[in-house]
Amino acid sequence: MRRNPRYDPLFEPLQIGPKVTKNRFFQVPHASGMTNAAPRVRAAFRGMKAEGGWGVVCTGACSVDPSSDDSPFPNATLWDAADIKAHALMTDAVHAHGALAGVELWHGGAAAMNRTTRLPALSPSGVPWMATHVPFMSQARPRIMDASDIKDLIRWHAEAAIRAEQAGFDILYVYSGMGYLPYQFLLSDYNHRTDAYGGSVRNRTRLTENLIDAVRTATQGRTAVALRISMQELRNRPSDSHASEAHEVIHHLRDAPDLFDVKMDYSAYDCAPSRFTPEGSHETTIDFMKTVTDKPVVGVGRFTSPDTMVSMLKRGVLDLIGGARPSIADPYLPNKIDEGREEDIRECIGCNICISSWHDGVWVRCTQNPTAGEEWRRGWHPERTPKDGSGTVLIVGGGPSGLEAALTLARRGFQVTLTDKAEFGGRLRYETALPGLRAWNRVAEYRLGQLRKLNNVALYPNSELTAQNIRDFEADHTILATGSRWLPNLCGANELPAAPLTAPRIFTPTDLASGATPEGPVVVFDFDNYALGTAIAEDLHDKGHAVTYITTAGAASAWTFLTNEQPLIHQALARRGIGYRTLQIVTGFDGDTLHLAQIMTGEPSSIRVRSLVIVGQRLGGSPLQQELADLPSLHLTGDANAPGAIAHAVWQGHRTARDLANPNPVLRRDAAFATADTVAAE
Ligand code: ADP
Ligand code: SF4
């Protein structure tokens, strides 16, 4: 197929300093959890995006000096010559497909806790980062940089730039964003200095300018120099001479870098979840850039629609379409647009499971793309599977895991039959009807769209299968993807589970998904701590009930801090007037009065309520598994195997399909290259 001419502007080359990108698809630096300890995993992950058509592919933040150490969060390093080889693997993988490779030189300043190197954190004026999440907190406070520290910081950037060029990077970033050191100089809240680096906006901008100059001088103009800068706070601050401090900062820097990469300051707005934030949400913050500078500008906004992308270019908001999450969900997004296959794009659903991986300190996971991070370890390609399948497969259950298994097995060449007792979608049928979660249904829509194109797949919705039906089908392989169910069990103190509660009008998400309707007022008791509890509370409120949300944790949907949703969830509850109580367990309910206890002190309280929704434990397994235990090739997958987020279900479905009748599934272990010290010691 041919590219739609409407999208031609996305494929025009662009000069970035001394380099030229072949198109406008720019994978901006984003966390992958892949440090120098996993160089082959990282190279394969980034290289896949170059293979999929991204014109520029950047690696994540690279610390320039041991005084910027993000542990236990994963961060890459460019500390000395021993780090070069690991990065060269990535740049080779990117160059192999005609893309440019970029690197984000990073110093965290007061936001880097230096837990491993134990060096005092650096800061303009000794002001710490106001972390609200326990793992980000530290009792070590930063020290105030003196003139020699500033010289050192500039030198570290210059030296790291030389190493980055030796590693093969084409675009070297200075990073003045997201609370990190150069950003702290820009903001008057952090910067109380009275020297040439503090006071006026001009002075506060000086460090960023010095770093850009240092990187350019170090590589003598052979590489492009980019500036990544957060604009959210600066845009909200008045300036004496410009429309805002953001305008003034960019005015001072307008000719300094070869490229501006503009973003928000706070992760929940920068990497904003789809539950609350639409595509292109940064625009009102960064839309002024092209009025102040002639340099190319790249920005993100979870862009998956080529029409939105073209509009960003045509309206002069951006010159390059930045992608982090869309490139994880579909490394082949540019090629699909180029080939006129827009309907094949595996669109990011905005769930932010990817960013939760970084917060968890592990390699990136993606709900939509189960192969992300598995390119090298398991040899999984997002678009290609070996054509090695023969025989028939019956899949029972068409939720995320069943759909993914069906698609992957069909691509392998099996004759696939997919059944579901209801319409396809499984848990998504209910969950994506809850407020804000509509975009998550892309998990089902993408897979059903692809399955309908294949002629070796038979789809049977609304077909409940019994064990006898399954036997009679006589498939060579049978996969049970029948999901899990939520239980009415409670949660005790001391992290212990408690027995189920029996009383009138107790509901679980499984009951609500089946159409049960609570009577108000309702309490939602949540110790699952992910998205569902609060989404149900919002939904019941929107349906006219008085709702109170109660959780064992210290905040609503506590785990969603990791997905950037938590602050926005609290805002949504507040907007609706949904009251919430934290650190509580339910100890009893008689249909009219709900008894609670403070989880740490045991202090009792009660609340008058007609219905209780318990969002707590889930149980997998399937009675079909016992009844069919003698079948020769029977497999349980997805939530039926081990309940989890949608991402877990998709990954399990993919793995089941990859490994079915495959005697030698690939599983490799990556390792760091030897450092200069270990080589010398050996
Ligand atoms: P997962 O997240 O693992 O994909 P889901 O709960 O989303 O699990 O989906 C499981 C699907 O299995 C549901 O759509 C359900 O209707 C279907 N299902 C369960 N039992 C049967 C059965 N006996 N026959 C057909 N479909 C079934
Ligand atoms: Fe998008 Fe979710 Fe994948 Fe992240 S995990 S890239 S938000 S689909």
Side-chain angles (χ1 to χ4, degrees), residues 432-623:
T432 65
L434 297 172
L437 299 183
R438 172 56 54 200
W440 292 14
N441 207 40
R442 289 173 175 179
V443 170
E445 287 157 6
Y446 164 74
R447 287 166 179 81
L448 280 168
Q450 297 295 303
L451 284 165
R452 288 190 181 115
K453 290 184 182 184
L454 298 169
N455 56 18
N456 56 337
V457 177
L459 299 173
Y460 293 101
N462 303 308
S463 310
E464 180 163 7
L465 297 193
T466 62
Q468 194 54 50
N469 298 146
I470 294 168
R471 279 185 195 288
D472 293 346
F473 198 86
E474 293 183 345
D476 298 322
H477 310 279
T478 305
I479 295 175
L480 302 177
T482 45
S484 63
R485 68 196 161 86
W486 293 85
L487 304 177
N489 290 58
L490 291 178
C491 171
N494 303 327
E495 302 182 339
L496 292 171
L501 191 60
T502 36
R505 295 179 301 282
I506 289 185
F507 302 88
T508 67
T510 304
D511 301 323
L512 300 180
S514 310
T517 47
E519 204 179 291
V522 187
V523 156
V524 176
F525 177 47
D526 182 12
F527 54 98
D528 171 61
N529 297 322
Y530 185 32
L532 207 56
T534 47
I536 288 173
E538 288 180 54
D539 186 50
L540 292 174
H541 171 275
D542 293 354
K543 287 179 172 150
H545 297 299
V547 179
T548 305
Y549 171 87
I550 293 175
T551 177
T552 52
S557 288
W559 191 79
T560 64
F561 185 88
L562 308 191
T563 56
N564 289 347
E565 289 163 304
Q566 192 189 58
L568 304 165
I569 286 173
H570 279 254
Q571 290 169 24
L573 295 182
R575 259 197 315 275
R576 285 178 166 85
I578 298 174
Y580 64 90
R581 295 202 202 179
T582 57
L583 300 175
Q584 300 287 326
I585 51 175
V586 168
T587 53
F589 180 53
D590 61 10
D592 280 310
T593 304
L594 184 73
H595 296 280
L596 304 171
Q598 212 276 358
I599 193 165
M600 297 191 199
T601 64
E603 186 187 341
S605 62
S606 62
I607 173 170
R608 301 278 292 168
V609 54
R610 290 292 287 167
S611 302
L612 173 65
V613 177
I614 302 174
V615 186
Q617 279 189 58
R618 288 160 72 194
L619 195 66
S622 165

Side-chain angles (χ1 to χ4, degrees), residues 395-404 419-429 431 460 462-467 469-470 480-485 618 622 624 637-646 648-650 652-653:
I395 302 173
V396 186
S401 66
L403 288 166
E404 175 63 22
T419 68
D420 198 291
K421 67 180 177 190
E423 292 298 326
F424 291 119
R427 56 188 286 183
L428 298 172
R429 290 193 305 274
E431 293 177 18
Y460 293 101
N462 303 308
S463 310
E464 180 163 7
L465 297 193
T466 62
N469 298 146
I470 294 168
L480 302 177
T482 45
S484 63
R485 68 196 161 86
R618 288 160 72 194
S622 165
L624 292 171
T637 197
D639 288 321
N641 189 43
I646 302 165
H648 296 107
V650 171
Q652 288 194 59

Side-chain angles (χ1 to χ4, degrees), residues 325 328-329 348-354 365-368:
R325 290 173 291 173
I328 300 171
C348 166
I349 68 168
C351 61
N352 283 358
I353 285 292
C354 49
R365 300 170 288 231
C366 174
T367 301
Q368 273 285 55

